[in-house]
Amino acid sequence: MKLYTFFRSSASYRVRIALNLKGISYEQAPIHLRRGGGEQHQPAYRAVNPQALLPALEVNGRILTQSLAIIEYIDEKYPDVPLLPKDPTDKALVRSMALLIACEIHPIQNLRVLNYVKSTYNQNDEQVNQWARHWIDLGLTALEEIIVAQPKRGRFCFADTPTLADICLIPQLGNARRYGCDLSRYSNILSIEKGCMALPAFADAAPEKQPDAE
Ligand SMILES: N[C@@H](CCC(=O)N[C@@H](CS)C(=O)NCC(=O)O)C(=O)O
């Protein structure tokens, strides 16, 4: 398997965690999201993923894109260490936490969106960081409440084993810090992060541990 990735890409980070949790070894093909205007826009990478977004996973000559679709593929193909609970209601809850991050927070603080806001509306770095912080805080505030209110509260987002929700949460916290969010108000989320980062699967997937880290 070959993962097209960038050390700081949080969607790639999700897939790295999932592969590590499953104990799957893989090759990395680094795509630098800023160098030369972004290698994701080069024809070579657009031929891999016409969306010009990371990650992409090459499996037996086929390309999979969209981190959540990739992770569900991995989970179905390698069912040991399941990333979703079996019970349909629990599964819907875990998916809702993951989607809260992957659909509602991440896309509107992504590089191309911030670049567009910056250039089209003449915003400076601090203004776009404020935009990012706004959407991240809105999402994390709701997630903190959802985590506390659920009936199966445990050490992770859901119960006592890591799921797709934790896989989405941990990389998002990296982005939150990069944009200057005050995470101290999310005590439950921070304690989940501590639990996740104690696991090699999460720690080894961290941006600073990647071969292309700067
Ligand atoms: N929904 C996509 C999001 C992919 C995405 O936005 N990737 C970012 C890196 S985290 C990217 O490639 N950004 C490049 C850009 O904004 O130009 C997924 O989950 O895979």
Side-chain angles (χ1 to χ4, degrees), residues 9-12 14 33 40-41 52-55 66-68 106 110-112:
S9 151
S10 53
S12 305
R14 295 174 195 154
L33 290 186
Q40 72 275 29
H41 302 298
L53 294 173
L54 289 172
Q66 287 291 339
S67 62
L68 267 55
H106 177 266
N110 195 15
L111 178 65
R112 63 181 183 171

Side-chain angles (χ1 to χ4, degrees), residues 5-9 12-21 26 28 170-171 197 199-210:
T5 174
F6 180 51
F7 73 104
R8 219 187 283 123
S9 151
S12 305
Y13 186 0
R14 295 174 195 154
V15 176
R16 296 195 300 258
I17 298 168
L19 289 166
N20 290 350
L21 282 168
Y26 62 99
Q28 289 201 7
I170 300 310
M197 295 317 285
L199 301 175
F202 282 81
D204 294 346
E208 63 277 10
K209 294 273 189 68
Q210 303 315 301

Side-chain angles (χ1 to χ4, degrees), residues 137-152:
D137 276 328
L138 203 67
L140 291 184
T141 301
L143 183 61
E144 175 88 359
E145 279 181 40
I146 292 167
I147 287 168
V148 173
Q150 63 166 300
K152 296 192 182 163

Side-chain angles (χ1 to χ4, degrees), residues 63-182:
I63 301 286
L64 307 178
T65 63
Q66 287 291 339
S67 62
L68 267 55
I70 295 172
I71 292 167
E72 291 219 18
Y73 162 81
I74 293 167
D75 201 28
E76 283 172 25
K77 190 89 182 156
Y78 303 90
D80 288 347
V81 194
L83 304 178
L84 286 167
K86 276 216 156 47
D87 174 79
T89 315
D90 292 340
K91 195 185 291 191
L93 172 63
V94 168
R95 281 195 172 123
S96 74
M97 293 180 187
L99 294 173
L100 181 158
I101 297 164
C103 297
E104 320 293 353
I105 301 180
H106 177 266
I108 36 181
Q109 49 90 98
N110 195 15
L111 178 65
R112 63 181 183 171
V113 171
L114 297 188
N115 282 344
Y116 184 84
V117 170
K118 212 165 164 177
S119 61
T120 310
Y121 302 107
N122 295 318
Q123 301 293 294
N124 61 33
D125 283 343
E126 178 41 30
Q127 286 167 315
V128 293
N129 287 352
Q130 194 184 337
W131 159 285
R133 283 198 297 274
H134 172 78
W135 298 112
I136 295 170
D137 276 328
L138 203 67
L140 291 184
T141 301
L143 183 61
E144 175 88 359
E145 279 181 40
I146 292 167
I147 287 168
V148 173
Q150 63 166 300
K152 296 192 182 163
R153 178 79 188 98
R155 289 180 21 246
F156 294 97
C157 284
F158 170 82
D160 286 317
T161 50
T163 62
L164 185 63
D166 305 282
I167 289 174
C168 289
L169 174 63
I170 300 310
Q172 186 58 54
L173 296 179
N175 287 358
R177 290 194 177 92
R178 184 140 37 92
Y179 297 121
C181 291
D182 171 14

